[in-house]
Amino acid sequence: MELERALEAVRGRGGADGLEQVLGQYNEKNRATFKFDPADEEKRKKLCEGILNILEKDTKTSCQVACLEALRILSRDKKVLVPVTTKENMQILMRLAKLDMTEDSLEDVSSFPVIVEALKCLCNIVFNSAIAQKLSLELNLAAMLCNLLKKCKDQQFVDDIKCFDLRLLFLLSLLHTDIRSQLHHELQGLQVLTQALESSFSIRWTDKYKAAEEHDGSPLSLQETDCAIEALKALFNVTLDSWNVHSENESHQFRYMAAILRHCLLTMGPTEDKTEELHRLVELTETIYF
């Protein structure tokens, strides 16, 4: 019932307010849905197409969020992604995620939920579609993600943006070897990711490669821990082939990263499980080059 109502809504029957309400109900009912009825596959494809047609136009923020939440749910099913994984549709989602090569700062806090949901959609789509993985290279997605990470530096209220930006970089570097190489050699990925990892901690430097030990430091928040974990996963992929250090700058970056990894091992997460996951990833990353 909710699927048919959502289809009717994206076809323009009910106006923007009606669309937002109907999609909100669809999203609430399917929030935890990961297996879909094969009999409704064509309807879900049409719903994806309808949602992207709406997102291509200017519409209010709350409606964009509802559309993106629905698309995120739908994109858990790789069988409906054929109409989604076109160059034009990927560009729509990248525009909403503020993925570009401009130096414009992230000033409009009201747009942050749209950016986060668009990044979540791209994570699902890239993970589930080989076509999207190839398009990501063509559209220079990794470079734009690195640029967005730089914009997040010293910004407030951007932890969710940073976390899903890092998750998408991890997925791209895992699923596409050319993007992994691009990140390492062209995009200063080692530096960008190490800085993102450092920003998850309140590190005080006592020397060039030595962080102060905070014996009574409070645990990281859940968001800070998740950001650190995503950065470590991406770093593992980017440094996977770094058996030899070829430049003075790379040597500096590895020593800088080693100091941060040591700090990670002395840091607690919000729960025992999160602390264990964080430390396990640090130890795994260290085995690549130490």
Side-chain angles (χ1 to χ4, degrees), residues 74-246:
L74 292 162
S75 62
R76 294 168 181 166
D77 179 9
K78 62 178 67 178
K79 294 181 180 178
V80 305
L81 290 181
V82 172
V84 176
T85 51
T86 66
K87 187 174 181 179
E88 294 74 16
N89 287 337
M90 291 283 285
Q91 287 173 322
I92 289 170
L93 294 173
M94 289 167 66
R95 173 177 56 81
L96 292 169
K98 302 296 184 189
L99 291 170
D100 52 43
M101 294 308 293
T102 69
E103 295 181 3
D104 299 339
S105 60
L106 299 173
E107 294 179 348
D108 183 10
V109 177
S110 66
S111 71
F112 286 6
V114 174
I115 298 173
V116 171
E117 282 300 327
L119 287 170
K120 288 179 181 179
C121 287
L122 285 166
C123 284
N124 282 358
I125 292 165
V126 165
F127 181 71
N128 281 320
S129 170
I131 295 172
Q133 292 158 26
K134 291 178 182 177
L135 282 171
S136 297
L137 185 61
E138 182 182 341
L139 293 168
N140 209 17
L141 181 55
M144 296 182 188
L145 286 165
C146 288
N147 193 48
L148 181 59
L149 265 186
K150 292 172 186 175
K151 293 179 186 181
C152 288
K153 189 178 179 183
D154 302 323
Q155 286 271 118
Q156 290 185 313
F157 314 118
V158 294
D159 280 349
D160 280 343
I161 295 174
K162 188 169 76 171
C163 190
F164 287 102
D165 182 305
L166 288 165
R167 182 170 297 177
L168 188 47
L169 276 173
F170 159 67
L171 289 171
L172 288 171
S173 61
L174 173 71
L175 298 167
H176 206 305
T177 54
D178 288 343
I179 292 178
R180 186 189 310 160
S181 176
Q182 181 194 26
L183 265 170
H184 191 158
H185 299 292
E186 297 174 30
L187 300 177
Q188 297 181 308
L190 184 59
Q191 178 180 343
V192 170
L193 291 168
T194 304
Q195 288 175 345
L197 181 61
E198 181 187 359
S199 71
S200 298
F201 307 99
S202 299
I203 295 181
R204 288 189 306 105
W205 294 100
T206 58
D207 203 348
K208 189 174 182 179
Y209 301 116
K210 185 172 177 60
E213 295 185 19
E214 305 289 349
H215 297 291
D216 57 348
S218 58
L220 295 178
S221 70
L222 181 59
Q223 277 188 322
E224 289 168 335
T225 307
D226 284 341
C227 280
I229 286 169
E230 296 301 334
L232 283 165
K233 284 159 42 178
L235 271 169
F236 177 84
N237 289 340
V238 170
T239 57
L240 193 58
D241 303 318
S242 300
W243 298 106
N244 296 305
V245 177
H246 299 291

